[in-house]
Amino acid sequence: MKKLILLLIITVTLIRCTSKTTENSDTTVTDNTTETELKAIEQSGRSFYDWYFKNDFPNCEIVKGKNGYCVMDTVSYFKTLRNLGTISEQFIRSERARLQSCAEFIENFEYEEYQNAQVYDPGRYCSYLYTMNWLGSEDPAAKFWTQNVKKINDTTASVAIYIANDISGNDKQQLSTVFLKKEKNKWMMTEIRLTGKDTKEKEPENFRGLWAGGIVTLNIGSTSMRIVYHEQCRYDYPVKKISDTEFIMIWSDDMDCNFNNRTSETFGLKKVPQIGKPFAKYKIKNNILYAEYYYPEWVNSYTNNVEYVFSAKYFRMERE
């Protein structure tokens, strides 16, 4: 009986030691977590910010494409992240989605214009090119710490990131939480969640409003779409709503224009737009309005022979 009681005391003591929380580092140790594993979680959890601080908080570079227009160099960015060896494909996919709208927007501008003058408004699409996105700020930070390293379960973990703008660290505050997942026996970063970032649901997307693409502006309402060339020229087309993010434009000759925009020409084609028939289907994705034309050959001919009016995508404009 004495041996049994002694064994129970030893077992309880061992359990208490194993589940002890490190006092100074605020690191949570679960029953089946070793200090070695917590160190691995901490190292993987801080790897992105190690790179981010060391390289002065980089964004994706805008480079000159083969056609002379801007290109967002996501290839180099994702290659760099993969080379860290601690970044999961889940994070890469989320970054690709975050950058997509800006990448598509920026490719509409000539690189020389982008370099030499602010001839475009980055607006809602590329505003983060002028911020330090993973600091959630326009200003750099002096240093960062990891804290509160947690193994949540056998396959997930988290690490809190703290920063200070003063090298002394007197203004230390939590910046973000890094989440990790165990993949092939290695802890990989899957998400960075900035502290205090607005997590409210986005407002539902709606096609109504002003959009820009090619050389024109689209002013879209619930039942009609106006293509505006300039103040003295506009064409109006009926709209058939499918949903708040999708509609069909019906071809028409309703216009108020002081010149002939040649939309009645056939360009030698048999399949050309017909008045009263659907001309294009428009759909919003990631706040970009994409056009699917039912007469693609005619659209290509019009673009090549007249003007770039019928774009494949349009970007939302702010009302003045």
Side-chain angles (χ1 to χ4, degrees), residues 32-302:
N32 60 347
T33 306
T34 64
E35 292 294 336
T36 300
E37 187 167 29
L38 283 172
K39 188 63 177 177
I41 292 170
E42 190 270 340
Q43 288 177 341
S44 291
R46 67 175 289 140
S47 61
F48 179 89
Y49 279 102
D50 279 332
W51 165 78
Y52 196 54
F53 271 71
K54 183 178 179 181
N55 291 278
D56 297 323
F57 321 106
N59 278 314
C60 274
E61 287 191 39
I62 305 301
V63 298
K64 187 176 183 179
K66 293 180 180 179
N67 61 357
Y69 281 72
C70 293
V71 173
M72 180 179 284
D73 186 12
T74 55
V75 174
S76 297
Y77 175 55
F78 293 140
K79 182 179 179 181
T80 297
L81 293 187
R82 288 188 175 102
N83 285 343
L84 295 179
T86 54
I87 310 299
S88 74
E89 288 302 312
Q90 179 179 329
F91 184 79
I92 299 287
R93 288 192 297 270
S94 68
E95 276 293 84
R96 193 183 301 280
R98 181 178 71 85
L99 298 168
Q100 186 65 30
S101 294
C102 178
E104 294 193 36
F105 177 77
I106 205 73
E107 68 185 14
N108 292 282
F109 302 97
E110 293 184 9
Y111 184 72
E112 300 303 326
E113 292 180 341
Y114 170 80
Q115 274 198 317
N116 298 328
Q118 293 292 337
V119 297
Y120 68 98
D121 177 10
R124 68 183 72 222
Y125 295 102
C126 293
S127 58
Y128 55 78
L129 289 179
Y130 305 97
T131 65
M132 293 154 196
N133 184 73
W134 296 113
L135 294 183
S137 171
E138 295 180 1
D139 302 312
K143 58 194 296 189
F144 84 94
W145 298 263
T146 55
Q147 196 169 320
N148 199 24
V149 180
K150 293 182 180 179
K151 181 179 178 184
I152 300 169
N153 55 42
D154 288 342
T155 59
T156 57
S158 66
V159 178
I161 303 294
Y162 284 75
I163 60 168
N165 297 317
D166 189 324
I167 197 67
S168 67
N170 291 331
D171 60 342
K172 179 180 177 182
Q173 59 183 309
Q174 185 171 352
L175 168 69
S176 64
T177 301
V178 174
F179 292 90
L180 305 100
K181 185 176 181 180
K182 203 166 193 179
E183 300 177 1
K184 297 181 179 178
N185 210 35
K186 184 174 182 180
W187 290 101
M188 304 287 282
M189 191 190 81
T190 58
E191 181 186 1
I192 299 174
R193 194 175 299 170
L194 292 175
T195 302
K197 186 175 182 180
D198 188 2
T199 56
K200 293 187 296 185
E201 290 187 10
K202 294 181 181 178
E203 292 185 11
E205 291 183 320
N206 193 303
F207 62 73
R208 289 187 289 274
L210 298 177
W211 302 81
I215 64 166
V216 299
T217 299
L218 307 184
N219 191 344
I220 307 173
S222 298
T223 59
S224 65
M225 179 174 80
R226 172 170 290 183
I227 297 182
V228 181
Y229 291 74
H230 50 71
E231 291 181 359
Q232 283 76 42
C233 187
R234 58 87 179 148
Y235 278 71
D236 292 321
Y237 300 91
V239 160
K240 181 180 179 182
K241 179 180 175 180
I242 299 173
S243 69
D244 284 341
T245 60
E246 196 170 358
F247 68 92
I248 291 174
M249 185 260 269
I250 309 299
W251 195 246
S252 169
D253 61 355
D254 181 6
M255 60 87 173
D256 180 7
C257 192
N258 57 9
F259 70 93
N260 179 8
N261 75 348
R262 299 172 63 185
T263 54
S264 61
E265 291 195 23
T266 65
F267 305 106
L269 300 171
K270 292 183 178 180
K271 188 177 180 181
V272 296
Q274 301 293 314
I275 293 175
K277 299 292 185 181
F279 174 73
K281 183 178 181 181
Y282 296 81
K283 186 174 183 179
I284 299 175
K285 183 179 180 182
N286 294 328
N287 208 36
I288 297 174
L289 185 66
Y290 293 91
E292 176 190 348
Y293 295 104
Y294 298 145
Y295 303 88
E297 288 185 85
W298 184 89
V299 169
N300 287 337
S301 295
Y302 187 90

